[in-house]
Amino acid sequence: MKYTSTRDGSVSVSSALAIAKGLSDDGGLFVPESIPKITKDNLKAYVGMKYSDLAFEIFKLYLTDFTDEEIAHAVNNAYGDNFDDGIIRLSQIDNGPVSLELWHGPTCAFKDMALQVLPYLMTISAEKVLGAASALGAASALGAAASAGGGKETLILVATSGDTGKAALEGFKDVPGTRIMVFYPENGVSEMQKRQMVTQEGSNVGVCAVNGNFDDCQNAVKDIFTDAKIKSALAQKNIVLSSANSINWGRLLPQIVYYIYAYVQLSQKGHSKINIAVPTGNFGNILAAYFAKEMGLPVGKLICASNSNNVLTDFINSGVYNRNREFVSTVSPSMDILISSNLERLLYLLSDRDDKKIAQWFGELKNKGEYRVPDALKNKINDLFYGGFCDETMTMKTVKSVFDEHRELLDTHTAVAFKVYEDYVLKTGDKTLTVIASTANPYKFVNAVFTSLEIDEHSVNKADEFEKAEIIERLTGVKMPGALRQTKDKEIRFNQTFEKHELANAVMEFI
């Protein structure tokens, strides 16, 4: 299995090199040269498997340059006692959709499903690449991918809209041979998400707030990756760059697994086909569902749920991607994104891997803020995806109505997906059992959930988020996870804020 770039089809690299580098030199994203297939017999064989064992089977299909022992080491260490209540939990909301709870990991968000295993994949990848480079006598040529051994360090840069940052910090904390630096929008994450990041422990971690939004953070990180001057300065210090964002294939691959796992569990209850609804901003989580479908998982419609930053909804329905619009800070901040990076992978695959078209469209997006795909491609997208969005008012109403009617407490991102799912059923009449990706514990967004539930308590306006959490606990019976409660007494380690044009300088200061 080789990997190519969405912007240069002549690129052909191993999975180890794709994971170690994170982003292709041409600015494109790595994509497998083919999508492996799973059969009905495979799905039957998966029945009864532990989550780590299923991950092993799926990883083997994509990481063919890894040994079985290397993959087993990664998945067995990643998916263990660091997760509570098992790895994931499936919970049917009365006789309606199934909530796929992906937030039982150490940071209480779905990003743990990938970012607990990514450090292992990156360490193994770096060792492989370094070994291959040394054997060829070409370590300098492949230095951009070498990280472990040889005296080199990997600097992992992460732009976050809230959840990725903490999950990446936790995953790479004190991992030998690595440093990690996270950028988050100063006013674009919840108070709990911010507290999780700025109190992060570890000797190799750095966290910076940015005056701007997530797109500003993401664009700055991408610019650093393609800046020859910065890479040269880092090389002089024996430091190479990589990414833990979902632009890295090592982030996306683990997300495929949980959709297959969910289907296998549901198939034992007589369900032969499912739809999947995903709240998404950067398009990575729903793209993983697309890969599962293309592998052969019996999936009908992929329901793409956006918040008020509904650029994906408009694109799916019109074929025009236009980021030239007001950026809205919402109660579902992890989806506050106007440039959906992983959409590039989908368009590459659906356009028959036309790298020239991809380079053209994403060049137009960067320079003009807009591109249009042909009708034939738009029709392909419409066959696969339904796009809908949910505004602020309706998001909060959904949190309340789902709790009042079903006693299920949703965070403000899962609520977006629930409402868009309901709209889809009303519009289409499609009653196929739908799996809703539940992406975060509701206590990560205490203030928004508290307001949504319309709690009438004395002096609640003066209550801090931990006091509000106690009130929610009393009302709902749902306990706040210890990992979040513990942040109350942790030392704040990071309090710097940078302008978006200063991030390269921030990187150099960090190292």
Side-chain angles (χ1 to χ4, degrees):
M1 175 71 75
K2 295 290 187 180
Y3 289 75
T4 189
S5 167
T6 53
R7 301 189 192 182
D8 183 356
S10 67
V11 170
S12 182
V13 303
S14 67
S15 67
L17 186 52
I19 291 171
K21 291 187 71 170
L23 191 69
S24 182
D25 290 336
D26 50 64
L29 279 60
F30 288 113
V31 176
E33 290 185 343
S34 62
I35 297 178
K37 301 300 181 183
I38 52 177
T39 65
K40 291 182 178 179
D41 288 339
N42 292 138
L43 292 172
K44 289 179 182 177
Y46 297 156
V47 172
M49 278 189 180
K50 292 192 307 181
Y51 191 87
S52 56
D53 291 340
L54 177 61
F56 174 82
E57 295 296 329
I58 303 306
F59 282 18
K60 277 175 58 175
L61 300 175
Y62 286 97
L63 307 179
T64 56
D65 51 327
F66 284 53
T67 66
D68 285 359
E69 292 75 17
E70 288 167 337
I71 296 174
H73 172 73
V75 298
N76 290 335
N77 280 283
Y79 302 118
D81 294 339
N82 48 336
F83 285 81
D84 60 36
D85 294 340
I87 307 301
I88 60 177
R89 180 177 169 226
L90 289 165
S91 173
Q92 187 160 16
I93 302 175
D94 290 341
N95 293 318
V98 172
S99 175
L100 174 61
E101 295 179 1
L102 300 170
W103 37 261
H104 291 283
T107 76
C108 306
F110 81 101
K111 304 297 177 73
D112 289 326
M113 301 302 300
L115 283 163
Q116 285 296 296
V117 74
L118 182 60
Y120 296 100
L121 297 180
M122 289 188 72
T123 300
I124 295 167
S125 295
E127 291 171 349
K128 285 179 172 297
V129 171
L130 184 64
S134 298
L136 293 169
S140 60
L142 292 176
S147 58
K152 288 187 179 291
E153 278 190 306
T154 296
L155 173 59
I156 299 162
L157 300 182
V158 179
T160 184
S161 55
D163 288 332
T164 292
K166 172 59 180 178
L169 289 163
E170 191 66 25
F172 283 95
K173 172 183 70 177
D174 293 327
V175 171
T178 65
R179 304 190 209 184
I180 179 168
M181 190 172 192
V182 168
F183 301 101
Y184 71 91
E186 172 67 40
N187 298 310
V189 300
S190 76
E191 287 301 312
M192 184 61 73
Q193 288 175 313
K194 182 183 296 187
R195 180 174 287 275
Q196 282 186 291
M197 289 186 283
V198 300
T199 60
Q200 176 65 47
E201 299 168 344
S203 60
N204 65 335
V205 304
V207 179
C208 290
V210 179
N211 276 325
N213 57 43
F214 169 76
D215 291 331
D216 295 324
C217 299
Q218 182 169 248
N219 289 337
V221 167
K222 285 184 176 180
D223 288 343
I224 291 170
F225 266 85
T226 55
D227 189 315
K229 186 176 179 180
I230 293 175
K231 288 199 288 187
S232 175
L234 294 173
Q236 291 177 18
K237 297 178 179 292
N238 254 1
I239 295 173
V240 294
L241 290 173
S242 191
S243 172
N245 280 97
S246 57
I247 57 175
N248 191 315
W249 175 251
R251 264 284 308 276
L252 194 64
L253 171 59
Q255 295 179 270
I256 298 171
V257 178
Y258 49 70
Y259 292 116
I260 297 174
Y261 184 85
Y263 175 80
V264 170
Q265 303 308 305
L266 294 171
S267 70
Q268 296 310 290
K269 298 180 179 180
H271 300 289
S272 58
K273 184 180 180 181
I274 59 173
N275 291 337
I276 299 174
V278 185
T280 188
N282 220 13
F283 206 75
N285 202 5
I286 197 165
L287 183 67
Y290 166 79
F291 268 94
K293 176 180 171 71
E294 288 300 296
M295 289 176 71
L297 198 70
V299 175
K301 209 72 170 181
L302 297 168
I303 301 169
C304 180
S306 300
N307 62 15
S308 295
N309 294 291
N310 59 343
V311 63
L312 283 169
T313 304
D314 289 348
F315 173 70
I316 290 169
N317 293 326
S318 70
V320 177
Y321 195 103
N322 187 344
R323 64 172 175 83
N324 298 318
R325 61 182 69 202
E326 180 186 1
F327 182 95
V328 184
S329 295
T330 74
V331 293
S332 46
S334 296
M335 299 161 64
D336 290 349
I337 297 170
L338 292 181
I339 301 176
S340 305
S341 290
N342 271 290
L343 187 61
E344 181 169 339
R345 283 187 167 111
L346 178 74
L347 297 182
Y348 178 73
L349 294 171
L350 294 185
S351 64
D352 298 322
R353 299 175 180 260
D354 191 335
D355 55 349
K356 292 182 175 56
K357 281 291 186 186
I358 297 300
Q360 175 192 325
W361 293 333
F362 285 86
E364 291 173 358
L365 181 64
K366 183 174 183 178
N367 297 323
K368 302 177 182 178
E370 180 181 3
Y371 64 85
R372 177 188 296 271
V373 301
D375 286 345
L377 179 53
K378 173 183 171 292
N379 292 338
K380 284 184 182 180
I381 295 169
N382 291 159
D383 287 341
L384 292 162
F385 294 87
Y386 169 86
F389 79 99
C390 178
D391 66 19
E392 300 293 276
T393 300
M394 194 51 67
T395 298
M396 292 192 287
K397 283 185 176 179
T398 301
V399 171
K400 180 168 173 55
S401 65
V402 171
F403 180 75
D404 289 347
E405 295 171 22
H406 309 289
R407 311 311 289 177
E408 188 86 15
L409 187 61
L410 304 181
D411 82 286
T412 45
H413 302 74
T414 307
V416 168
F418 191 94
K419 179 61 172 67
V420 173
Y421 152 76
E422 288 185 321
D423 292 345
Y424 168 77
V425 173
L426 285 173
K427 184 174 181 179
T428 66
D430 182 0
K431 298 296 181 67
T432 302
L433 180 69
T434 297
V435 171
I436 295 178
S438 180
T439 55
N441 186 286
Y443 285 100
K444 290 201 77 165
F445 307 94
V446 169
N447 292 325
V449 171
F450 186 90
T451 301
S452 299
L453 293 175
E454 299 177 359
I455 297 171
D456 184 16
E457 291 265 343
H458 179 64
S459 299
V460 292
N461 289 333
K462 297 179 181 179
D464 67 20
E465 58 189 337
F466 294 98
E467 292 168 329
K468 290 178 180 178
E470 291 177 0
I471 295 170
I472 294 173
E473 285 181 326
R474 293 200 303 269
L475 173 70
T476 67
V478 178
K479 296 299 182 183
M480 185 183 199
L484 299 181
R485 191 185 306 279
Q486 291 165 10
T487 63
K488 180 178 181 179
D489 300 317
K490 283 191 173 183
E491 174 193 1
I492 294 176
R493 296 183 61 202
F494 306 102
N495 55 16
Q496 281 187 293
T497 301
F498 289 85
E499 301 300 325
K500 56 189 176 184
H501 64 271
E502 297 176 329
L503 298 197
N505 293 334
V507 170
M508 300 309 294
E509 283 184 23
F510 176 63
I511 65 163

